[in-house]
Amino acid sequence: MARPQKNGKKNFVTQSLDSKISKLVHDLLNERPGRSVRDITVFETLKYVQSHDLSLQRMKKILLEKSIQKALVLIEADEIENGYASNNSVVEIQNRTDLVEVEDSNAMNNTVVNLWNIKPASKAATANESLNSVTESPKKKYSTVAQEAVIKNEAKENKERTRKRTKEPSISGLNKRQKVDKDRSPPNASLSQLGGMDEIITDLLEVIGIPILHPEIYLSTGVEPPRGVLLHGPPGCGKTTIANCLAGDLKVPFLSVSAPSIVSGMSGESEKKIRELFEEARSLAPCLIFLDEIDSITPKRDGAQREMEKRIVAQLLTCIDELSMEKTNNKPVIIIAATNRPDAIDPALRRAGRFDREICLNVPSEESRGYILKSITKNLKISGDFDYKKLAKMTPGYVGADLKALATAAGLAAIKRIFCSLSAAQNETESKIEDVEIMDIDDINEQKENNERNENKDQNHLETQNILKETKKKSLDDTTQLSNIQNFLLKYSKPLKAHELQGLSVEFDDFLTALPTIQPTAKREGFATVPDVTWSSVGALSKVRIELHMSIVQPIKRPELYERVGITVPGGVLLWGPPGCGKTLLAKAVANESHANFISIKGPELLNKYVGESEKAVRQVFTRARASVPCIIFFDELDALIPKRDASLSESSSRVVNTLLTELDGLNDRKGIYVIGATNRPDMIDPAMLRPGRLDKTLFIELPNSVERFDILKAVIRTHNTPLSKDVDLERIANDERCKNFSGADIAALVREAGIMTLKKKFYTNISKGDESIEKELSDEENEIEVTAIDFDNALKNVKPSVTESDRMKYKELSQTLDN
């Protein structure tokens, strides 16, 4: 009974306000004689009533405007009823054809008086009843527009009041499960679609498959099943794909959530989404929850910048802890998370009982890439022999996403090849038809010129035919200038037929064509790749080559042989010697020979002026190497990164040295990671770096002798395809006294300088005078350019050895010191 009294009181207040406003509007009209209701505005009336009644200044403006509008409408109707309207109003009324002449009964005034004196149950019902009585009365003469305005306002207020009373939920307030019915069915994928991931699939089936499909095993033994698995690795390795395929094979509900979609701008909404997600998972158990890019919502709480991030991590930890078998009605709910930044996740998530198992998806090896290629090309229309092993060997550093992009690019190359062949065939056919048409036109023109020369009509016809012939030739020339694809699209505007599509297939050569256009993700993300330097590019250094083979190449190729003699820890090698002797070239050749991934680090590039950043960069290098095993890390200019730790060394540099030493033989696993260092100042390296277990093998790369210089000359010329004249004697050049103390870099500079001498002599004859023009262009008859013995002799006058005799003696003395 309380609600009707409240509504009645509200209606009474509203009616008293309307009567007060109506009285003030009448006073305004009386103060301004000669003006009708239509001559005053709502804003003018609002200022008047607020200035004459101070109590109205405390009321809401919208209420006053509604009341003023209603009063103006009623007073206008009263004026029209009693004949006090303005001339314009009278003219408007006279022009109306839909009004009926009736007797004046003053019905409107009676209705207004009744509104003031009655206390109805609801304001809307009274307003509707009064308006109905007015509109049904046959004695109306006032504006129908005013009635419609009142009806609309009252209907709107009635609808709003009814919605508030019944608390009808709006569309935005609906439950999200009712609003969007999300599909939780398992994806249409299977683990059989994947290739080169047998070990990872076995681990996932062991950790996830058995608890999901056979929870009774864990119930009978009393063992708690795992609650979560963290998949981490470089981008594009198939973390999301393998999670979807696993859910597709297990045939259980799959709740796939992108972690950033959980974050909300409202306080508490993010935590609410997490709770709703886990509540839905418990209701659908047994099921899988997949959180992609989990590092975006679970950063380390020590470095979190906002409190919301800490609350999200805490809420996720609480929800994972509640996924015990007792609370899920003995039906397991397992979480799968994916990230490529596992170190950025809060450590509390990476303990047992939450993410019990962490599985790393590394960059696929050569064998794995072969399996992935077979899986990707399974649905492709391939013709001819397809060498998977060769293609896998040519794609070092490629992950699954890169190989899929390669297959797509190969398909585009095949389509372009078919376009070219079809366009060429179409052009050849049109050219034959064109020749026939041109010949026919020439014959007709010649015949008409001989027989009907005096007839102007025939002469005009001949000119028209000649114009058509020239236009057709010109259009044909323009078409041939278009690209093959544009030409194809112009010729084949309709869909191709079955016999035209029959020859469309992907060949192995299409993959080779598309290979240079694909940049592997590993190279873009800073991960390791296999270099393209082979042993044929390296001259001499046979003794060093044997040592590197036994220390690095063979342990990577034949690890089982080394394990049989108890060699399980990979060794490290320090290459030192004068600059330009081929230390970097050796490291690249070793990586290529062993088919291992290769990370090249220029020593100073890891150093950073901010505290802790240099150590972080060192750890990141080894983290990337673990994701790319087998991997060779090459530290060039190692003395800049690991100087001797003494009183003169700064604290930041000492921390970098300590971090690198602990990464080499600390608690972290270094299996499959080989380290090669290069320096020309081994005396400046910290002695702890040279002990066994780290860089335990030091190899001195000394300057080559005459025999080795001859071997290096042949390797440089073979690598760069330098054309030599018959009078060039490489052995004589290698034994030349001027080549003494030449390093490998000096010999390469000698060959390059000889080539420049050849170009000067043959083409740039006036370059010394400032004339850059070429005296004679390169033609087919003069296509052979050869470097002569005279060019090498002139080059020896300009190229000097980079290592002096005194420096060579110092390196020999240092070698004896390190050997002892």
Side-chain angles (χ1 to χ4, degrees):
M1 298 298 293
R3 184 172 294 179
Q5 293 178 3
K6 184 176 180 180
N7 290 339
K9 183 178 180 181
K10 183 178 179 181
N11 292 333
F12 177 75
V13 172
T14 306
Q15 292 173 10
S16 61
L17 175 64
D18 293 342
S19 61
K20 186 183 297 185
I21 293 295
S22 179
K23 184 178 179 182
L24 290 172
V25 172
H26 280 290
D27 294 342
L28 175 61
L29 293 174
N30 293 332
E31 291 180 1
R32 301 177 183 181
R35 297 184 63 183
S36 65
V37 179
R38 292 197 175 192
D39 296 334
I40 61 176
T41 61
V42 176
F43 179 72
E44 181 183 1
T45 309
L46 178 64
K47 291 179 62 177
Y48 179 83
V49 298
Q50 287 183 340
S51 61
H52 286 72
D53 193 340
L54 299 179
S55 63
L56 297 178
Q57 294 181 359
R58 297 191 298 270
M59 298 192 68
K60 292 183 178 180
K61 185 178 178 181
I62 188 171
L63 294 178
L64 293 175
E65 289 178 348
K66 286 183 179 180
S67 183
I68 292 171
Q69 186 178 7
K70 187 184 296 184
L72 292 175
V73 170
L74 295 178
I75 293 174
E76 180 188 2
D78 191 16
E79 288 183 353
I80 295 174
E81 178 73 19
N82 292 282
Y84 297 120
S86 63
N87 295 331
N88 294 332
S89 300
V90 174
V91 172
E92 290 178 1
I93 295 172
Q94 290 176 355
N95 291 334
R96 293 287 299 271
T97 59
D98 57 341
L99 299 179
V100 181
E101 291 292 335
V102 294
E103 296 180 0
D104 187 4
S105 61
N106 201 17
M108 190 62 189
N109 286 340
N110 295 332
T111 304
V112 173
V113 172
N114 291 334
L115 283 174
W116 293 347
N117 297 329
I118 297 176
K119 295 181 180 180
S122 68
K123 179 180 177 181
T126 306
N128 291 335
E129 182 180 355
S130 61
L131 287 173
N132 289 335
S133 63
V134 172
T135 55
E136 290 175 0
S137 175
K139 302 175 182 180
K140 63 178 181 179
K141 281 187 179 181
Y142 48 89
S143 174
T144 58
V145 178
Q147 296 179 16
E148 292 177 0
V150 175
I151 292 172
K152 287 182 180 180
N153 291 333
E154 294 295 342
K156 184 177 179 181
E157 293 178 2
N158 187 22
K159 183 177 179 181
E160 183 70 19
R161 185 166 51 255
T162 306
R163 189 184 68 82
K164 291 181 179 180
R165 186 182 301 117
T166 58
K167 296 183 179 181
E168 179 184 356
S170 60
I171 296 177
S172 60
L174 289 176
N175 191 349
K176 294 183 179 178
R177 293 183 184 175
Q178 299 174 0
K179 181 180 177 181
V180 179
D181 189 12
K182 295 182 179 179
D183 185 16
R184 302 303 190 185
S185 59
N188 187 17
S190 176
L191 293 172
S192 60
Q193 302 174 0
L194 304 178
M197 307 179 75
D198 296 337
E199 295 182 1
I200 297 172
I201 291 173
T202 303
D203 292 341
L204 288 175
L205 291 177
E206 176 186 346
V207 178
I208 298 176
I210 296 178
I212 288 290
L213 299 180
H214 297 284
E216 67 276 2
I217 298 177
Y218 289 87
L219 292 175
S220 61
T221 57
V223 179
E224 185 73 18
R227 297 182 188 175
V229 175
L230 180 63
L231 302 176
H232 61 90
C237 285
K239 300 182 289 295
T240 305
T241 304
I242 197 171
N244 284 273
C245 292
L246 180 64
D249 276 356
L250 296 180
K251 304 297 181 183
V252 293
F254 186 62
L255 284 71
S256 179
V257 179
S258 177
S261 64
I262 294 177
V263 181
S264 178
M266 299 293 293
S267 179
E269 284 294 323
S270 304
E271 299 89 310
K272 181 181 178 182
K273 289 182 180 179
I274 296 176
R275 290 193 299 269
E276 290 178 350
L277 175 65
F278 280 83
E279 288 175 4
E280 184 181 0
R282 282 194 291 268
S283 64
L284 297 174
C287 68
L288 294 176
I289 301 176
F290 178 62
L291 297 176
D292 202 3
E293 303 296 340
I294 191 174
D295 57 282
S296 61
I297 63 170
T298 57
K300 293 181 179 179
R301 285 175 287 181
D302 295 339
Q305 299 180 355
R306 295 179 296 176
E307 289 296 326
M308 180 189 69
E309 298 175 352
K310 299 180 181 179
R311 293 198 305 269
I312 291 176
V313 175
Q315 183 64 66
L316 189 59
L317 295 175
T318 305
C319 292
I320 294 176
D321 291 338
E322 293 177 354
L323 293 180
S324 59
M325 295 287 283
E326 295 81 7
K327 296 183 179 180
T328 57
N329 196 16
N330 295 329
K331 296 178 181 179
V333 176
I334 299 180
I335 306 171
I336 304 176
T339 180
N340 53 6
R341 300 171 58 237
D343 294 334
I345 299 176
D346 192 86
L349 280 168
R350 302 178 66 182
R351 71 159 177 83
R354 287 163 183 165
F355 288 117
D356 301 84
R357 183 76 67 90
E358 294 185 4
I359 300 177
C360 180
L361 279 72
N362 295 325
V363 176
S365 61
E366 181 179 334
E367 183 180 2
S368 299
R369 290 196 297 271
Y371 287 120
I372 294 172
L373 284 170
K374 289 180 181 178
S375 176
I376 290 174
T377 58
K378 187 184 301 181
N379 298 325
L380 294 181
K381 185 180 178 182
I382 296 178
S383 63
D385 296 333
F386 198 93
D387 193 350
Y388 291 99
K389 291 184 178 179
K390 182 179 179 181
L391 187 58
K393 189 175 182 179
M394 298 175 65
T395 53
Y398 281 62
V399 295
D402 299 328
L403 295 176
K404 191 173 182 180
L406 177 63
T408 303
L412 293 176
I415 294 172
K416 187 176 180 180
R417 174 171 51 81
I418 299 298
F419 281 2
C420 295
S421 61
L422 290 176
S423 299
Q426 182 72 14
N427 290 336
E428 184 178 357
T429 304
E430 289 188 355
S431 63
K432 292 180 180 179
I433 296 173
E434 183 65 23
D435 292 338
V436 173
E437 291 180 356
I438 292 173
M439 290 176 62
D440 294 340
I441 294 173
D442 291 338
D443 293 340
I444 293 171
N445 292 337
E446 186 177 357
Q447 183 179 1
K448 288 186 177 182
E449 284 178 359
N450 293 330
N451 298 331
E452 301 175 357
R453 291 182 178 179
N454 298 326
E455 297 182 5
N456 294 331
K457 183 176 181 181
D458 293 336
Q459 186 68 27
N460 293 334
H461 183 70
L462 284 174
E463 293 177 358
T464 305
Q465 292 293 335
N466 290 330
I467 293 173
L468 289 174
K469 181 178 66 175
E470 293 177 359
T471 305
K472 190 173 289 187
K473 284 184 177 181
K474 184 178 180 182
S475 63
L476 186 61
D477 294 337
D478 293 340
T479 304
T480 55
Q481 293 177 0
L482 297 175
S483 65
N484 292 324
I485 295 180
Q486 289 176 325
N487 194 9
F488 174 82
L489 295 176
L490 289 174
K491 301 298 181 184
Y492 295 90
S493 58
K494 297 181 180 179
L496 299 178
K497 298 179 181 179
H499 69 276
E500 294 173 335
L501 293 173
Q502 188 175 3
L504 183 59
S505 61
V506 184
E507 299 178 357
F508 182 73
D509 293 337
D510 296 325
F511 278 85
L512 299 181
T513 304
L515 194 60
T517 63
I518 303 298
Q519 184 183 13
T521 304
K523 185 177 289 187
R524 281 179 284 182
E525 292 292 330
F527 285 88
T529 55
V530 178
D532 55 357
V533 178
T534 60
W535 281 115
S536 61
S537 305
V538 181
L541 303 175
S542 57
K543 295 182 180 179
V544 179
R545 177 176 177 178
I546 293 173
E547 292 291 340
L548 290 173
H549 255 282
M550 296 303 297
S551 300
I552 295 177
V553 177
Q554 294 304 321
I556 294 176
K557 287 187 173 181
R558 302 285 187 270
E560 65 278 0
L561 294 178
Y562 285 76
E563 290 178 359
R564 292 182 65 177
V565 295
I567 301 176
T568 57
V569 179
V573 178
L574 176 64
L575 304 175
W576 69 278
C581 289
K583 300 183 288 294
T584 305
L585 197 68
L586 277 171
K588 291 182 178 180
V590 167
N592 183 277
E593 181 71 16
S594 60
H595 301 297
N597 296 307
F598 186 76
I599 298 179
S600 179
I601 303 297
K602 286 78 176 175
E605 73 178 355
L606 295 181
L607 301 178
N608 197 306
K609 65 179 181 179
Y610 296 105
V611 177
E613 290 297 322
S614 302
E615 301 90 299
K616 182 180 177 180
V618 173
R619 291 192 299 269
Q620 189 176 16
V621 168
F622 282 86
T623 301
R624 289 176 173 175
R626 292 187 192 95
S628 308
V629 291
C631 181
I632 297 175
I633 304 178
F634 176 63
F635 289 98
D636 203 3
E637 303 299 336
L638 190 62
D639 54 286
L641 187 63
I642 313 178
K644 287 184 178 181
R645 290 173 291 178
D646 51 18
S648 61
L649 191 65
S650 63
E651 182 183 356
S652 59
S653 299
S654 299
R655 288 199 301 268
V656 175
V657 176
N658 295 334
T659 303
L660 186 55
L661 294 177
T662 53
E663 286 289 344
L664 286 174
D665 64 345
L667 298 177
N668 294 327
D669 184 19
R670 196 165 67 90
K671 185 177 180 181
I673 301 176
Y674 299 83
V675 179
I676 299 178
T679 181
N680 50 12
R681 296 294 303 274
D683 54 325
M684 295 183 62
I685 297 177
D686 192 277
M689 192 69 184
L690 304 178
R691 74 156 177 82
R694 291 166 181 165
L695 300 183
D696 47 8
K697 185 175 288 295
T698 57
L699 300 177
F700 176 44
I701 314 297
E702 57 183 341
L703 294 175
N705 54 30
S706 59
V707 177
E708 292 173 339
R709 286 197 294 267
F710 175 60
D711 195 8
I712 294 172
L713 265 173
K714 291 191 294 184
V716 171
I717 291 172
R718 181 173 59 251
T719 303
H720 297 286
N721 296 322
T722 304
L724 297 179
S725 178
K726 294 180 180 180
D727 62 344
V728 176
D729 187 359
L730 295 180
E731 189 173 1
R732 184 185 63 82
I733 296 173
N735 293 324
D736 195 307
E737 187 65 23
R738 290 174 292 183
C739 288
K740 187 179 179 180
N741 294 335
F742 265 34
S743 63
D746 296 332
I747 294 174
L750 175 65
V751 175
R752 184 171 58 253
E753 185 67 21
I756 293 175
M757 290 294 177
T758 303
L759 294 177
K760 283 183 179 180
K761 180 177 64 177
K762 195 162 189 176
F763 296 102
Y764 299 96
T765 55
N766 297 324
I767 192 68
S768 58
K769 300 179 182 179
D771 185 6
E772 299 179 1
S773 61
I774 299 177
E775 186 172 331
K776 50 183 178 180
E777 297 290 339
L778 185 65
S779 60
D780 294 337
E781 293 80 9
E782 301 173 345
N783 195 19
E784 293 184 0
I785 302 177
E786 293 180 346
V787 181
T788 63
I790 300 176
D791 298 328
F792 274 100
D793 188 65
N794 293 331
L796 282 171
K797 298 177 182 179
N798 297 332
V799 179
K800 304 298 180 183
S802 57
V803 181
T804 61
E805 185 65 27
S806 60
D807 292 337
R808 182 171 185 171
M809 297 304 298
K810 289 180 182 179
Y811 279 107
K812 280 190 175 182
E813 294 176 0
L814 185 59
S815 173
Q816 295 174 0
T817 303
L818 292 178
D819 291 340
N820 295 330

